[in-house]
């Protein structure tokens, strides 16, 4: 590795910060070939030949096997030229493939869109939901209804298995020198009821969607106690021995508050699910890139909550949620970025929050306009105020109620603060959807304006906060880590 790879930390390729240049030399040191590859977020790896439209990357080179709708893209002039002299058999096969492609090339996505406004116009013109628009566009790529349903359910199956793995693992710490303790199993057990057999808390049955536990009866009280408004506290020796310690002085005008815990089921489950997914990601497990690995916990957490607590038709909810969320992801990828190396964590957890907000609102039967507003609020909650003075007034409308997200992972690991940010992203997604549905069409910033705001924010953000671990938490805590391991 040290012999063959030359790392130029002082240089950044122009196309994208996450770039690598591969060059091949002969024994005399003369350059034989060179190529540059860029990881642009969401699992997309591109170069000059594939950097077109949606940055599609084809693993195969036989374009006769690619559906016609995907061939409507103009590649660069540097495409390799095939110098093979065709035989008569090749010519016959080529003619057949060409005729087939001519037929398929006539098949374009029926409802193309590249902005939120154009998507909204399509839903109004054709009386369709966002999920229906995306579904029919997918069919233009040669998929049947059954194919699309099967692929969507497979995506959810992996998401669900990831949550199950995260909450049921017996491992106590995550890999890496941070030695970070896993929290998902503990959080899940504390919820005292589970959705996975064998993972629920002791003496508690695993439950399914729509199950509601009976109220736990309180201590018995005598009529005289109730009549005089007194509550009789029943204690045991064990309970008395574990009485919580009150911190603070009792000899003070402001008496200390006794410790207590409150349970907010929606927040607790959303946080637990999101943390479970990102702990699996941090340990090298299998996840769904949605839209990125570092932000992979938000969408599964919100969808899992819908299925278990809200939906009466899980398969319908899964399709509606994922198709709607994917439309929002497309808009961000086209109009801004989903790469933390370009836009900080707002481009990852921020976009995931926006996608999940839209999916949640869609599953609640909200109108397409409300769904897009949910997405706007979702990203609005995560935009980052790293703007130059001349840009502030231009986009302050969509940033006036926000704090943002930098990408400053400690020790370069996708653990701290990434895991907790996914937890908060899931909670904010539901909050954004609820707010959009309660607003009843009252808003001043559109999703397109928010996406443009995010693009401007990303452009003005310091490189120190773009996945480089050069500032923020990565610096303030990494020094302690380096000292402890010295």
């Amino acid at each position: 590795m040290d012999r063959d790879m030359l790392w130029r930390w002082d240089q950044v390729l122009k196309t994208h910060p996450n770039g690598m240049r591969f060059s091949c030399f002969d024994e005399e040191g003369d350059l034989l070939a060179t190529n540059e590859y860029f990881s642009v977020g969401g699992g997309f790896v591109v170069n000059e030949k594939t950097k077109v439209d949606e940055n599609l990357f084809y693993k195969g080179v036989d374009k006769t096997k690619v559906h016609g709708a995907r061939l409507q893209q103009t590649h660069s002039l540097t495409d390799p030229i095939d110098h093979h002299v065709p035989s008569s058999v090749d010519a016959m096969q080529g003619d057949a493939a060409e005729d087939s492609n001519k037929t398929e090339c006539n098949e374009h996505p029926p409802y193309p869109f590249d902005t939120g406004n154009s998507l909204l116009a399509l839903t109004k013109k054709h009386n369709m939901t966002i999920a229906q628009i995306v579904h029919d566009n997918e069919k233009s790529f040669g998929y049947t209804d059954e194919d699309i349903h099967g692929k969507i359910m497979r995506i959810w199956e992996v998401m669900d298995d990831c949550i199950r793995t995260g909450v049921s693992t017996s491992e106590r710490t995550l890999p890496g020198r941070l030695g970070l303790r896993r929290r998902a199993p503990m959080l899940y057990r504390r919820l005292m009821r589970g959705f996975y057999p064998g993972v629920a808390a002791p003496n508690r049955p695993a439950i399914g969607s729509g199950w509601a536990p009976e109220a736990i009866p309180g201590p018995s009280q005598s009529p005289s106690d109730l009549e005089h408004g007194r509550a009789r506290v029943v204690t045991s020796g064990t309970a008395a021995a574990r009485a919580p310690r009150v911190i603070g002085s009792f000899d003070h005008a402001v008496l200390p508050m006794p410790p207590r815990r409150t349970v907010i089921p929606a927040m607790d489950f959303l946080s637990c699910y999101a943390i479970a997914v990102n702990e699996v990601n941090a340990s090298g497990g299998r996840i769904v890139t949605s839209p990125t690995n570092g932000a992979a916990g938000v969408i599964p957490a919100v969808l899992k909550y819908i299925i278990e607590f809200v939906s009466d038709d899980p398969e319908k909810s899964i399709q509606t949620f994922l198709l709607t969320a994917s439309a929002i992801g497309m808009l961000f990828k086209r109009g801004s970025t989903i790469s933390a190396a370009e836009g900080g964590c707002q481009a990852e957890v921020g976009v995931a929050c926006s996608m999940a907000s839209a999916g949640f609102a869609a599953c609640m039967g909200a109108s397409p306009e409300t769904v897009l507003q949910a997405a706007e609020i979702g990203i609005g909650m995560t935009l980052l105020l790293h703007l130059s003075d001349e840009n502030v007034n231009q986009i302050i409308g969509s940033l006036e109620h926000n704090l943002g997200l930098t990408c400053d992972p400690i020790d370069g690991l996708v653990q701290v603060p990434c895991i907790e940010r996914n937890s908060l992203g899931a909670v904010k997604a539901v909050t954004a959807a609820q707010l959009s549905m309660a607003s009843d069409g009252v808003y001043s910033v559109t999703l397109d304006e928010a996406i443009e705001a995010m693009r401007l924010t990303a452009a003005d953000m310091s490189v120190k906060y773009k996945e480089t671990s050069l500032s923020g938490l990565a610096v303030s805590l990494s020094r302690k880590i380096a000292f402890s391991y010295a």
Side-chain angles (χ1 to χ4, degrees):
M1 179 67 73
D2 294 335
R3 183 194 66 185
D4 299 328
M5 302 296 290
L6 179 62
W7 302 103
R8 298 301 303 267
W9 307 110
D10 58 327
Q11 294 183 7
V12 178
L13 299 177
K14 293 182 179 179
T15 303
H16 192 278
N18 283 342
M20 295 186 71
R21 176 184 293 151
F22 292 89
S23 301
C24 180
F25 301 87
D26 61 15
E27 294 181 354
E28 286 72 31
D30 296 327
L31 180 65
L32 299 177
T34 187
N35 208 337
E36 296 175 349
Y37 295 91
F38 304 93
S39 175
V40 297
F44 292 90
V45 177
V46 303
N47 61 9
E48 283 300 318
K49 299 171 187 175
T50 59
K51 191 181 62 179
V52 291
D53 290 351
E54 290 300 319
N55 294 330
L56 297 172
F57 177 73
Y58 300 127
K59 294 182 179 179
V61 295
D62 186 359
K63 294 185 178 180
T64 63
K65 297 181 180 180
V66 179
H67 193 273
R70 291 192 181 273
L71 295 178
Q72 300 303 306
Q73 305 180 73
T74 303
H75 289 260
S76 67
L77 298 178
T78 57
D79 277 336
I81 301 175
D82 186 4
H83 297 285
H84 170 68
V85 179
S87 64
S88 58
V89 175
D90 292 333
M92 291 170 56
Q93 291 177 342
D95 291 341
E98 185 177 354
D99 291 340
S100 174
N101 279 336
K102 284 182 179 179
T103 302
E104 291 183 340
C105 283
N106 293 326
E107 301 178 20
H108 298 280
Y111 310 112
F113 61 90
D114 55 7
T115 64
N117 287 339
S118 62
L119 176 58
L120 182 59
L122 286 171
T123 63
K124 292 180 178 179
K125 178 179 179 180
H126 300 283
N127 190 29
M128 299 173 70
T129 66
I130 294 176
Q132 291 171 338
I133 292 286
V134 176
H135 181 277
D136 285 3
N137 283 346
E138 288 296 312
K139 290 180 68 175
S140 71
F141 294 116
Y143 297 121
T144 64
D145 292 342
E146 292 73 20
D147 292 336
I148 297 172
H149 177 269
K151 290 178 179 292
I152 290 175
M153 296 309 296
R154 174 57 182 159
I155 290 173
W156 168 243
E157 179 183 344
V158 176
M159 288 181 172
D160 196 35
D161 285 344
C162 185
I163 297 175
R164 182 198 304 267
T165 300
V167 301
S168 62
T169 182
S170 58
E171 298 179 4
R172 291 184 173 272
T173 59
L174 294 171
R177 64 176 187 166
L178 293 180
L180 196 65
R181 181 180 177 183
R182 290 176 178 264
R183 283 180 289 179
M186 173 189 65
L187 293 173
Y188 193 72
R189 285 194 295 269
R190 284 183 177 178
L191 292 174
M192 298 184 67
R193 56 177 187 168
F195 298 108
Y196 301 119
V199 186
N203 303 321
R204 292 280 182 176
I207 62 176
S209 179
W211 182 86
E214 295 180 358
I216 301 176
S220 58
Q221 297 177 330
S222 65
S224 59
D225 290 332
L226 296 176
E227 182 177 350
H228 292 87
R230 296 193 303 267
R232 184 161 53 91
V233 180
V234 180
T235 60
S236 62
T238 304
R242 297 180 180 176
R245 180 188 175 190
V246 178
I247 305 298
S249 171
F250 284 91
D251 186 18
H252 196 278
V254 180
L255 293 177
M257 294 294 296
R260 65 177 64 188
R261 285 184 180 176
T262 182
V263 177
I264 306 176
M267 294 178 59
D268 292 341
F269 277 105
L270 286 166
S271 297
C272 178
Y273 295 152
I275 288 174
V277 172
N278 284 89
E279 286 181 348
V280 171
N281 175 60
S283 59
R286 188 177 193 183
I287 62 167
V288 175
T289 303
S290 53
T292 64
N293 285 18
V298 178
I299 288 176
V302 176
L303 182 50
K304 179 67 174 176
Y305 180 80
I306 291 173
I307 291 173
E308 300 297 353
F309 288 93
V310 180
S311 176
D312 55 1
D313 189 344
E315 288 197 9
K316 181 179 178 182
S317 295
I318 292 170
Q319 290 191 85
T320 298
F321 185 98
L322 292 180
L323 288 170
T324 303
S326 67
I328 304 304
M330 294 178 201
L331 296 177
F332 276 99
K333 192 169 186 297
R334 275 180 174 269
S336 185
T337 180
I338 58 171
S339 170
E342 281 189 298
C345 198
Q346 62 173 354
E348 296 203 16
V349 171
V351 173
C353 179
S354 181
M355 294 168 65
S357 298
F360 187 94
C363 288
M364 297 299 105
S367 67
E369 185 177 15
T370 300
V371 169
L372 294 181
Q373 182 59 16
E376 186 279 323
I377 298 175
I379 189 61
M381 289 182 173
T382 54
L383 284 173
L384 180 61
L385 287 170
H386 274 271
L387 307 176
S388 56
D389 294 339
E390 61 268 23
N391 292 122
V392 171
N393 291 332
Q394 179 179 355
I395 64 173
I396 194 67
S398 61
L399 298 180
E400 60 189 1
H401 60 291
N402 307 307
L403 293 175
L405 293 177
T406 58
C407 184
D408 51 353
I410 298 174
D411 211 32
L413 300 174
V414 189
Q415 296 182 6
V416 180
C418 317
I419 295 176
E420 290 180 349
R421 283 181 178 173
N422 275 259
S423 168
L424 296 178
V427 173
K428 288 194 291 185
V430 175
T431 303
Q434 291 286 80
L435 180 58
S436 70
M437 291 185 288
S439 299
D440 194 24
V442 178
Y443 61 91
S444 57
V445 180
T446 66
L447 177 59
D448 290 336
E449 291 168 339
I451 292 175
E452 174 63 8
M454 198 190 88
R455 187 188 68 80
L456 293 174
T457 306
D460 291 332
M461 188 188 300
S462 170
V463 69
K464 294 181 180 180
Y465 300 102
K466 294 181 179 180
E467 210 175 48
T468 56
S469 295
L470 295 177
S471 188
L473 286 173
V475 173
S476 61
L477 275 78
S478 290
R479 291 171 181 167
K480 297 180 181 179
I481 297 169
F483 177 80
S484 64
Y485 281 87

